[in-house]
């Protein structure tokens, strides 16, 4: 039982370590050399599939009647969109900036939607499930519009005009983020028994997230190993992802305090769908830029692991609090 509890407490950290170890094991086993290309192709399909499944499961677990926007949703959507657009405008104005890769990484960290497993973590911490799920839906809608509008101007493709690029991005992002919601509504209406089976496994999205996190970290390590970008740029991505993580959790909690929803708002703003962030960076920016999503996943999962452990072990929290007296 202690082993099982340990695995539950440290699931996200274990997933990160598994992703790092998995890459080095895979590339250093000679008889697997012939599978490298196939594995890369498989991951490119598997990542968006997992994002889709996690969103679908999350949406199946919420009653549509509970989806009600609240005041902090509007402020947070505005803030998250503004951060993304402002950095994008800076890059458009200074296309040859030496900080280009770092600023693109910041863009990904800010526009990335709330993690599909955020509702699970929020529930573990005693937050408001319906509020965070509502925000997850709203930010997915906003991201599916803003990303196709901004990315072609920030990171233009010389072989494709802006309109075509926007349509291509919209064609990949919009279905990935919104079709799970539509499908979940249809399943709830037409296949209630199947929907009941999904809701009977409340932690399924969390463990799918852990699996997808391990794969995403593997891709991040691969990008780092094969990157020809200067170490200073990689260090910049480490720092900007850390600062973005701290800033978003802090802003979310501060905004949540004003509306008596600190835990939920903090998780909604700070806990990101980093699998999507890595996929977004790799697909529409560059493999190097995608590292920002990988680093962010490390920071927010370390913080979430600490939060969950502290919440589920109140005796440790009391001892820590007493030590401050």
């Amino acid at each position: 039982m202690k082993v099982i509890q340990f695995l539950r407490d440290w699931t996200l950290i274990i997933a990160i370590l598994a992703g790092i170890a998995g890459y080095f094991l895979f590339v250093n086993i000679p008889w697997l050399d012939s599978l490298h290309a196939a594995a890369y192709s498989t991951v490119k399909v598997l990542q968006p599939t997992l994002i889709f499944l996690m969103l679908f499961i999350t949406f199946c677990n919420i009653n549509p009647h509970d989806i009600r926007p609240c005041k902090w949703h509007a402020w947070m959507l505005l803030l998250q969109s503004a951060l993304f657009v402002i950095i994008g405008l800076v890059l458009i104005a200074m296309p040859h900036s030496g900080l280009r890769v770092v600023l693109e990484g910041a863009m990904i960290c800010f526009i990335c939607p709330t993690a599909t497993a955020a509702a699970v973590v929020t529930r573990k911490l005693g937050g408001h499930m319906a509020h965070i799920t509502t925000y997850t839906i709203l930010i997915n809608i906003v991201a599916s519009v803003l990303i196709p509008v901004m990315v072609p101007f920030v990171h233009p493709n010389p072989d494709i005009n802006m309109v075509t690029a926007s349509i291509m991005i919209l064609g990949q992002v919009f279905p990935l983020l919104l079709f799970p919601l539509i499908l979940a509504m249809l399943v709830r209406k037409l296949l209630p028994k199947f929907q009941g089976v999904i809701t009977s496994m409340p932690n399924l999205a969390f463990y799918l997230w852990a699996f997808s996190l391990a794969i995403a970290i593997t891709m991040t390590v691969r990008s780092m190993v094969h990157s020809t970008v200067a170490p200073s740029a990689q260090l910049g991505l480490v720092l900007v992802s850390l600062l973005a993580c701290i800033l978003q959790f802090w802003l979310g909690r501060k905004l949540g305090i004003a509306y008596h929803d600190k835990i939920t708002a903090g998780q909604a703003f700070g806990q990101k769908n980093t699998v999507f962030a890595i996929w977004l960076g790799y697909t529409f920016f560059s493999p190097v830029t995608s590292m920002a999503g990988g680093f962010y996943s490390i920071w927010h999962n370390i913080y979430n692991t600490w939060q969950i452990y502290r919440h589920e072990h109140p005796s440790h929290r009391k001892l820590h609090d007493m030590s401050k007296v």
Side-chain angles (χ1 to χ4, degrees):
M1 290 300 292
K2 288 185 178 180
V3 173
I4 294 174
Q5 186 60 47
F6 175 82
L7 293 174
R8 286 176 178 171
D9 288 341
W10 303 101
T11 298
L12 303 179
I13 302 300
I14 292 169
I16 292 171
L17 295 176
I20 296 171
Y23 172 78
F24 288 109
L25 285 173
F26 185 70
V27 298
N28 287 293
I29 297 176
W31 58 271
L32 293 177
D33 289 349
S34 60
L35 299 177
H36 288 182
Y40 178 64
S41 299
T42 300
V43 168
K44 288 183 72 175
V45 175
L46 185 60
Q47 279 188 312
T49 301
L50 287 170
I51 294 169
F52 185 99
L53 288 174
M54 288 186 291
L55 279 170
F56 170 68
I57 292 168
T58 298
F59 295 147
C60 279
N61 276 281
I62 193 71
N63 190 322
H65 298 294
D66 293 333
I67 299 175
R68 297 189 187 92
C70 57
K71 290 182 179 179
W72 65 259
H73 287 160
W75 286 110
M76 197 172 291
L77 287 170
L78 180 62
L79 183 58
Q80 191 166 348
S81 301
L83 289 167
F84 174 72
V85 170
I86 289 169
I87 298 173
L89 292 175
V90 170
L91 282 170
I92 292 170
M94 299 187 297
H96 304 295
S97 169
L99 294 174
R100 180 172 192 84
V101 171
V102 175
L103 291 175
E104 287 180 350
M107 286 184 71
I108 290 174
C109 291
F110 285 126
I111 197 55
C112 183
T114 302
T116 52
V120 180
V121 176
T122 300
R123 186 184 62 212
K124 287 177 179 289
L125 297 174
H128 199 296
M129 283 277 287
H131 282 180
I132 197 166
T133 305
T134 301
Y135 187 77
T136 301
I137 294 170
L138 293 174
I139 190 56
N140 275 282
I141 294 171
V142 170
S144 68
V145 174
L146 276 182
I147 291 170
V149 170
M150 288 297 298
V151 170
F153 292 96
V154 173
H155 198 90
N157 186 332
D159 299 322
I160 305 174
N161 64 52
M162 294 297 179
V163 175
T164 303
S166 295
I167 293 172
M168 288 176 61
I169 296 172
L170 182 65
Q172 293 189 55
V173 174
F174 191 86
L176 184 66
L177 297 182
L178 294 185
F179 277 11
L181 174 61
I182 297 170
L183 182 60
M185 289 180 174
L186 289 173
V187 166
R188 178 177 287 273
K189 186 74 174 178
L190 303 175
L191 300 169
K193 289 185 178 179
F194 179 61
Q195 189 260 343
V197 171
I198 294 173
T199 56
S200 68
M201 299 180 285
N203 287 322
L204 180 58
F206 181 76
Y207 291 115
L208 268 179
W209 180 37
F211 175 63
S212 63
L213 173 62
I215 295 173
I217 292 296
T218 298
M219 293 299 290
T220 300
V221 173
R222 180 183 183 276
S223 297
M224 292 178 66
V225 171
H226 292 278
S227 174
T228 57
V229 174
S232 59
Q234 295 189 35
L235 178 60
L237 289 172
V238 171
L239 294 176
V240 78
S241 62
L242 176 59
L243 291 174
C245 184
I246 293 171
L247 178 64
Q248 290 182 104
F249 270 111
W250 182 79
L251 285 174
R253 292 174 74 87
K254 284 292 184 182
L255 188 60
I257 289 173
Y259 295 98
H260 310 289
D261 207 0
K262 180 175 71 172
I263 293 172
T264 312
Q267 294 306 122
F269 206 5
Q271 187 176 344
K272 300 293 188 179
N273 187 347
T274 49
V275 178
F276 175 80
I278 293 169
W279 173 81
L280 178 66
Y282 214 91
T283 306
F284 301 119
F285 288 91
S286 70
V288 177
T289 307
S290 70
M291 291 182 196
F295 292 134
Y296 193 101
S297 69
I298 293 173
W299 307 133
H300 86 154
N301 282 309
I302 289 173
Y303 181 64
N304 278 335
T305 299
W306 175 78
Q307 285 192 107
I308 293 170
Y309 183 83
R310 193 166 182 263
H311 181 77
E312 295 186 349
H313 296 79
S315 60
H316 289 199
R317 184 169 70 248
K318 287 178 182 177
L319 287 173
H320 176 73
D321 292 340
M322 288 175 65
S323 67
K324 295 179 180 180
V325 178

